[in-house]
Amino acid sequence: MNFKKISTILTIFSVNLLALSSPLQSKKYSADVADISIDGVDNSQHATYDIYSMDKAEAIDISSDEEVNLMGTDDVKEILDIDSSDETEIETDIETEIEDGNEHENICNTKECVEVANNILNSIDNTVDPCDDFYQFTCGNYIKNHPVNEEDWIIKSFDSAEPENRERIINMLQNDYKPNKNLSKQDQENDKLLFNQLKNLYQSCMDVDTINKKGVKPMVDLLKKLQINEKKDKYNDPNELGVILAKLHNVERKNRSFTYNSLFNMNSLINDDGMIILSLGKTEGIIDDEEDSALRILLSNIFKDSEERNIDKMVDSVVEFEKKLFEESNEEEVDPYEVVDIKTLNEKYPNINWKTYLEEKFDSFGMKEKISNDTPVYNSDIAYIKNLNKILGEVDGETLSNYFEMVIIYNCMGLLSTEFIPEDFKEIKSETNRTDYCYDIISRYLPDHVSRYFAKIYFNPSKKQYAEKVVEYIRQSMINRITNVKWLDDETREYAAKKVAAINKLVGIDDSKNLETLFNNFQNLTTTEDDYFNNVIKINEINNNYSLKNIQSSKDDILESLISLPQQTINAKYYTGTNSVNIPAGILQLPFFSIGIPDYINYGGIGTIIGHEFTHAFDNTGRKYDIKGNDVNWWTQSDSEEYDEKATCFVNQYNKLYMEDKEGQKHYVFGTITLDENIADNGGLIRAYESWQLSLLEDSETVKKENQKLPGLTQYTADQLFFISFGNIWCENIYNDYLEVILYSDHSPGNARVNGAVSNFKIFAKTFNCPINSKMNPKDKCEIW
Ligand SMILES: [Zn+2]
């Protein structure tokens, strides 16, 4: 088995797991799952893949003038004279046109169309020439209308539905379960149980009075229940150590971006053969100098009734222990990792009984029989595990007991009343943000529950049908494009087209399957509306074992759960490891998509997003994976060289793009870091345009919609609005001091995403009649797909 490759697939797991603690999950591996946007810390998967396309050349010859709506420069100027900076005026314009719309049936006057038109009119700055800076033209007024400050330092049109999503979910949780009549009686019961688990977690989190009343008692009770201190004399017995570690690892809460499991962590990952196997790795330290004194105060609170505890001694012993635990080894390991069976693990590192540990852990979810002496384990850090074994042979039980207790306290203290938590450890700084905090808690601990009930109130079959249709048009246009690419060998071209045909799609949620999976995982969970601490602990026990349950399954068997994003996510992803595209319900709303608006808006929005994800299958990373998501080279030497040359064009082009700060200083994009995403953006825009054209040819209903104009925007052609819709999804305002931060993402900033892609697309230049060598129509263009 080639374990270098394991890391490339690993990140798909974190979709369903709260945190995957293997060190392999570090950022450097994040390029294996592609998403469309800049993500917050919580979304650790990023990546890319790419596309192709070839057309039904007969159907759409994109270089043909007849197919493109051309406008004279004068026409453009006239259009640009609409003043979009005054909202009152805009509303008036729209209202007038709605009235007109009754006479001229080609104006769409639905609520959705008015909303879309309003968004666009409030965003564009028609004082800017679209051929000079298209991003500024589409987003100039968005930026003016959305100020930022040091605290709220970034705002993006991409995330504009976020507050509404939150509000919808929170409103739902403030009401009782509403039965879904399409479900059987039994399924309704199961659905209600799951709903109430989510509701209880939210309400118990919001119930500050009860949390305060309980003080540190829930933590004291948990420590008692675990009997850590009571068994301190037995920790030199490898068997006893295995038992207590399984118990501790079940409740230890993953509360920050790292995992703070006692001594080591155990997860699972997918190996080269597509099987899920156990993965053993290094843990993180809990004490650092800055937090040391805060921790002593917290411990004094928790142990105030236990006279025999000497807090200073306790903390000092743990500081000393962690120093040894994380001591760098002087020995050079030939291989940093190994795959061994459990029997060998026990022989090599005998101070923990690994078999007992795993049996206990698997027993907690009724799957003890899955563990045998032959069960393989991927040890990701030989040096660390070796050292761990050595110091376990030297350390006394009292120190280990102190360490175990402190790991639990460290992990779970955020669930206590803030009254008892030292300032440094507070997860929530002000109670005025309690709603947001509790929304984050439910999203983090019960993401699949939130996902289910978000989809229930938001998703519907017509959205699914529409989005799936767009996916298929994108697929078709990519296959068309690839078939026509001249620089690929026949063999490579044929395989690439097969890869596109094989891309799995998951749009929204499969309701019945989802209910069954969730119920199977959570049926034994009991929650109450007044016990926040224990609700989280119990949920965490289930989540901590989530990744282990699938061992020895093949990735194909659990494909859907591996690639499914929570439905409320405003994003989309391509997964290299499974050659799959996932479009959750969260992104099937404005500014990307709406039912009942002209297709040019939807294709400029969600169409470019789906095109982006498909293109990731053929970006500079994704192209190195085969149809099944294996790391297999299927390119000829000359194809690869040709590709690299074309990719270099993008690197050089994006290196010249920049954001300018208030002082006029330019902050340049890193063409290399953002290469995969830029390739995806470029391919995505072209594919979206082509697939829109395909849809017009094949679907008379959409042709009818195509003819509809938007109120207040009748001066623009459908083609122009397609590009404006694309530009609008990338509007952003960033606080001056943070421009630099944005540039270290693997995604380019909004202005480069828009201007880079449109300036490489000749249809754009024709649509806006941009003179050759104007900024948005350079003579030399970059193109791969
Ligand atoms: Zn991407």
Side-chain angles (χ1 to χ4, degrees), residues 161-172:
E162 194 105 42
E164 211 181 319
N165 284 359
R166 279 180 179 235
E167 215 179 300
R168 281 179 167 136
I169 292 167
I170 289 164
N171 279 343
M172 181 181 65

Side-chain angles (χ1 to χ4, degrees), residues 34-37 47-48 612-613 616 677 680 747 753:
D35 64 3
I36 185 84
S37 174
T48 35
H612 172 107
E613 301 309 337
H616 271 311
E677 292 300 329
H747 296 84
R753 297 189 80 150

Side-chain angles (χ1 to χ4, degrees), residues 238 280 338 340-356 373-374 377 379 385-386 389-390:
L280 168 65
E338 64 189 354
V340 286
D341 58 32
I342 290 176
K343 187 164 173 273
T344 314
L345 203 61
N346 270 350
E347 283 162 10
K348 286 182 85 169
Y349 316 107
N351 285 328
I352 295 173
N353 188 331
W354 300 94
K355 185 154 184 258
T356 304
N373 276 332
D374 303 328
V377 176
N379 174 7
I385 299 298
K386 211 186 214 179
N389 185 63
K390 181 176 146 262

Side-chain angles (χ1 to χ4, degrees), residues 158 161-162 165 168-169 450-464 467 506-510 563-573 581-595 606 609:
F158 197 97
E162 194 105 42
N165 284 359
R168 281 179 167 136
I169 292 167
V450 177
S451 172
R452 173 171 180 78
Y453 296 101
F454 175 79
K456 196 172 161 187
I457 51 175
Y458 193 72
F459 200 53
N460 61 50
S462 57
K463 284 188 177 185
K464 187 176 171 84
L506 180 61
V507 177
I509 203 165
D510 178 338
I563 68 168
S564 176
L565 286 169
Q567 292 301 309
Q568 66 278 19
T569 312
I570 303 177
N571 215 326
K573 293 202 186 236
V581 166
N582 184 205
I583 320 288
I587 200 161
L588 294 174
Q589 56 186 323
L590 291 178
F592 310 95
F593 170 84
S594 178
I595 292 280
I606 195 70
I609 301 283

Side-chain angles (χ1 to χ4, degrees), residues 9 672 709:
I9 316 174
T672 316
K709 297 263 184 184

